Amino acid sequence: MTNWTGDRQNQVLGLVKLNSDMALVFYYPKPNRYSINTLAGAIEETPEFGELSMYFVESERDLFTGLKTITGKHRKVVVGLSFFTPQLWETAALISRLKKEYGNAIFLIAGGPHPTGDPEGTLGLGVDVVVRGEGEETLVELLGKFGREEDYTSVKGIVYMEKRGGIRFTGLRRPVNLNKYPPFTIKHRLFSPIEITRGCPYLCSFCQTGHIFGPQPRHRSIENILGYVRLLTERGLTDIKFITPNAFSYGSPDGKTINVNKLEALLRGVRAIIGNRGRIFMGSFPSEVRPEHVTEETVNLVRKYANNDNLIIGAQSGSQRILDLCHRGHKVEDIFRAVDITVRAGLVANVDFIFGLPGEEPADVKQTIQVIKELVERGARVHAHTFMPLPQTAFAKKPAGRISKELENLINILNASHKVYGHWREQEKLAEKIARYLTGGCL
């Protein structure tokens, strides 16, 4: 990985090709690496960019140190940023400093969940182009046109500020075929969990996933997945994890039904490659499962092929009224059944709850408290979140989540017995900032 500090600067510069007219610099903080790895993989697959120098810079200090060298070596320097809404303030400060110190010497492109949901606000921070939605094909075409000094304003999937003023969106692209692109960058050895599914049919009111990737699930083929598993194994990487909005939906044509045969074929194929020396993680971080998809069959597949000792189950509320208001598409009874099946199988049931969801009344909070108490008695552990409004969602303009006194008391009790975890307190403060921004547009 490129590091611009100390004696390594000259060493790293000696390893990369500097005869390219254009360089691409990815700002590479930990929360955004999975998406950047995917984009870099798509670029590597494009023959046109065989001479393109790519840099992955982890810290702000290294970014500015590195750009001093890069802008002196390349006539065109593109800086790519991907960020979430909770990262808005630190990213805004970074962009301000980049524009101040480098101005037109760099071409700033931003993508990811926040720029996709709030392209106008992101342009207002000072970036040149926003990539909206899936980035693989858009970024490849945009870089190609920029590098050849062609008009890039016809590229589908971008938002930019017109010279005469006003903002133009060029329109969404067709959904990406996951089999067409690698799940990570091979050349730079920046490996990630394998993304096996994109798209979510539920379009929950608090979640951006379905809006960014669409409601129709798209699955990477088993053959394609196993090819990358072999590649990882050949490099000594035998812990196999997956990125998916719902791990047990793999192979499902609609994302709502379960395709047990496809799911087992995938797990069986991975296990055959990695053998007993490797580990499979299915339904645990960085993915989760929906409660109604936790069945005896799906959990037995985890027990038979995988190595994770827990499942992350997305419950979100103990009130059926709130679940319906959020368009969750499952029942409270599904949550109890999922926990019981998981615990009986000898796995830890980590159950996601979002506190302070819009529309909650005291009666809804009481129901959630009672459900949590019963789930803990049945062996579950609570993964606590505070509701944060996010752009592009149905709840984008709703007030920030607040944790009631009764719920806070329960959390404190559960915390003492290690039955709850999460960053709900930090999220409560951050939610206030986000809500003020989304309703007032002011940082």
Side-chain angles (χ1 to χ4, degrees):
M1 186 181 305
T2 304
N3 184 329
W4 297 108
T5 59
D7 295 335
R8 278 184 52 79
Q9 180 170 344
N10 291 331
Q11 177 186 352
V12 173
L13 286 175
L15 292 176
V16 298
K17 296 178 179 179
L18 297 175
N19 58 346
S20 172
D21 194 41
M22 182 170 72
L24 173 60
V25 182
F26 280 118
Y27 184 50
Y28 197 67
K30 188 174 181 179
N32 312 107
R33 291 178 185 175
Y34 291 170
S35 58
I36 291 172
N37 289 352
T38 300
L39 295 172
I43 293 167
E44 288 177 359
E45 289 288 295
T46 306
E48 179 181 0
F49 299 123
E51 295 296 310
L52 176 67
S53 294
M54 279 197 288
Y55 305 85
F56 304 82
V57 189
E58 295 182 0
S59 71
E60 184 173 330
R61 181 189 65 180
D62 289 352
L63 177 63
F64 285 89
T65 302
L67 283 174
K68 290 179 183 178
T69 302
I70 297 170
T71 53
K73 294 285 186 179
H74 301 271
R75 191 166 64 88
K76 304 184 191 76
V77 177
V78 178
V79 177
L81 307 171
S82 178
F83 63 99
F84 301 95
T85 300
Q87 298 172 293
L88 173 59
W89 287 267
E90 62 190 84
T91 305
L94 174 67
I95 292 170
S96 177
R97 187 182 168 196
L98 283 170
K99 298 301 289 186
K100 181 179 179 180
E101 295 194 21
Y102 292 99
N104 293 330
I106 60 174
F107 185 70
L108 266 175
I109 301 175
H114 183 83
T116 291
D118 180 32
E120 183 174 354
T122 304
L123 288 173
L125 299 178
V127 306
D128 296 293
V129 172
V130 167
V131 172
R132 188 173 178 187
E134 297 176 301
E136 290 96 334
E137 294 178 354
T138 302
L139 185 59
V140 164
E141 184 179 355
L142 177 60
L143 289 175
K145 286 185 176 292
F146 181 75
R148 296 188 299 270
E149 298 185 357
E150 299 175 357
D151 180 15
Y152 61 78
T153 60
S154 62
V155 174
K156 281 280 189 185
I158 66 169
V159 187
Y160 65 93
M161 194 82 69
E162 294 183 301
K163 291 181 180 179
R164 63 179 182 274
I167 291 172
R168 179 170 180 253
F169 173 47
T170 58
L172 289 174
R173 285 182 175 270
R174 293 173 61 88
V176 167
N177 178 355
L178 291 182
N179 289 331
K180 187 177 177 182
Y181 297 104
F184 39 63
T185 163
I186 300 168
K187 175 182 175 182
H188 290 86
R189 294 184 60 84
L190 299 177
F191 301 112
S192 309
I194 300 173
E195 185 179 21
I196 59 174
T197 300
R198 270 189 199 171
C200 179
Y202 294 95
L203 298 175
C204 297
S205 301
F206 52 80
C207 181
Q208 286 182 287
T209 300
H211 298 285
I212 295 173
F213 299 122
Q216 179 59 47
R218 288 161 283 144
H219 308 287
R220 193 181 293 272
S221 72
I222 292 177
E223 181 182 9
N224 188 276
I225 295 169
L226 297 185
Y228 289 111
V229 171
R230 291 188 188 94
L231 185 149
L232 291 172
T233 303
E234 289 168 359
R235 287 158 175 77
L237 303 172
T238 55
D239 276 3
I240 307 301
K241 298 181 180 181
F242 304 107
I243 296 175
T244 165
N246 173 22
F248 291 159
S249 72
Y250 179 75
S252 170
D254 59 5
K256 296 183 177 182
T257 55
I258 301 172
N259 190 332
V260 174
N261 292 335
K262 271 287 183 69
L263 189 59
E264 180 165 20
L266 169 63
L267 294 172
R268 183 174 59 243
V270 174
R271 178 56 66 190
I273 294 170
I274 66 174
N276 293 329
R277 69 186 184 281
R279 298 187 298 175
I280 301 172
F281 296 87
M282 172 62 72
S284 60
F285 182 82
S287 300
E288 64 176 52
V289 295
R290 288 182 58 87
E292 74 273 28
H293 289 176
V294 179
T295 67
E296 299 285 354
E297 284 183 299
T298 55
V299 173
N300 284 340
L301 291 180
V302 173
R303 295 292 295 153
K304 182 177 180 180
Y305 295 104
N307 298 89
N308 44 293
D309 62 1
N310 73 93
L311 293 179
I312 299 177
I313 301 168
Q316 316 314 353
S317 177
S319 163
Q320 190 61 55
R321 188 181 75 86
I322 295 299
L323 291 176
D324 294 341
L325 185 63
C326 294
H327 300 143
R328 276 296 292 169
H330 66 78
K331 304 294 184 183
V332 173
E333 291 77 12
D334 295 324
I335 304 170
F336 284 112
R337 183 166 50 252
V339 167
D340 289 343
I341 292 172
T342 302
V343 172
R344 280 200 305 269
L347 302 173
V348 175
N350 291 318
V351 187
D352 279 346
F353 279 91
I354 303 175
F355 302 138
L357 282 163
E360 269 190 352
E361 300 290 344
D364 301 303
V365 175
K366 288 182 179 179
Q367 290 172 24
T368 294
I369 288 174
Q370 185 57 40
V371 167
I372 288 175
K373 287 179 177 178
E374 291 186 28
L375 291 175
V376 170
E377 288 178 359
R378 297 185 186 200
R381 193 166 67 134
V382 174
H383 188 193
H385 307 267
T386 301
F387 167 71
M388 294 189 292
L390 297 173
Q392 202 179 8
T393 67
F395 286 166
K397 302 291 186 180
K398 298 297 184 181
R402 289 287 189 94
I403 299 178
S404 69
K405 190 64 178 177
E406 296 82 2
L407 192 49
E408 186 175 1
N409 290 338
L410 175 61
I411 292 173
N412 290 334
I413 293 172
L414 296 178
N415 195 42
S417 58
H418 305 289
K419 292 295 184 180
V420 64
Y421 68 104
H423 301 287
W424 65 94
R425 288 193 179 94
E426 296 90 335
Q427 290 169 353
E428 191 173 28
K429 297 175 184 176
L430 189 54
E432 291 284 355
K433 292 177 66 176
I434 294 173
R436 285 194 296 270
Y437 171 76
L438 292 178
T439 54
C442 181
L443 289 175

